[in-house]
Amino acid sequence: MLICDDEEFNLMTLTHLLMNFDLKAECFESGTLAVNCFRKRLALKCCSRTFRLVLTDISMPTLDGYGVCTQIMATQNFWFEGMRKQQSLVKFKAKRVTPVVAVTAYTDESTKVKAKSVGMSDLMHKPVTIDRLEKCLKEFYY
């Protein structure tokens, strides 16, 4: 799992909540660093070793959560298309897109609409509760 938030407190909180499910995450305080890590994992480790879920804050400097999602989706599409060209479709059937879930303090409808429009799978409001995280994990991780 990959978590991206420019506030260290939020990263520590989510990491602590994940311990309740015996899960660990790679955490980044920068959207750019998170996307770069995602790209490296996808390129070097193949699809069985990529992140199964991305949790990202929306409001971050340099590259916000919308940009993180857009770049992750573009990276996956590019990689999957390349795999199809290199291998027969019989060998490469699966196209597992990593879900990106926004974790944000914004509660307005326009945030939800924009999150969906860039390809985010869901949106969790801060502060994230253990029940809400569990629901997200059941839907997108397991």
Side-chain angles (χ1 to χ4, degrees), residues 68-123:
V68 168
C69 182
T70 300
Q71 289 192 24
I72 284 175
M73 294 301 163
T75 298
Q76 290 181 110
N77 289 337
F78 178 80
W79 190 85
F80 286 126
E81 193 57 37
M83 288 301 294
R84 276 196 206 86
K85 289 178 182 176
Q86 291 176 9
Q87 301 176 14
S88 71
L89 290 177
V90 174
K91 282 185 175 180
F92 193 75
K93 290 181 187 175
K95 179 181 177 183
R96 186 186 184 286
V97 175
T98 302
V100 178
V101 175
V103 182
T104 183
Y106 297 123
T107 58
D108 57 291
E109 188 63 26
S110 64
T111 299
K112 190 173 189 175
V113 168
K114 187 170 181 180
K116 291 287 183 191
S117 75
V118 298
M120 290 185 174
S121 301
D122 200 5
L123 190 137

Side-chain angles (χ1 to χ4, degrees), residues 35-94:
V35 169
N36 288 343
C37 179
F38 185 90
R39 287 177 176 154
K40 287 177 187 173
R41 289 275 294 268
L42 187 62
L44 296 175
K45 309 267 182 156
C46 190
C47 21
S48 64
R49 302 290 294 215
T50 59
F51 294 104
R52 290 170 55 186
L53 177 63
V54 176
L55 302 177
T56 182
D57 184 22
I58 287 181
S59 181
M60 296 182 291
T62 311
L63 185 63
D64 65 14
Y66 301 123
V68 168
C69 182
T70 300
Q71 289 192 24
I72 284 175
M73 294 301 163
T75 298
Q76 290 181 110
N77 289 337
F78 178 80
W79 190 85
F80 286 126
E81 193 57 37
M83 288 301 294
R84 276 196 206 86
K85 289 178 182 176
Q86 291 176 9
Q87 301 176 14
S88 71
L89 290 177
V90 174
K91 282 185 175 180
F92 193 75
K93 290 181 187 175

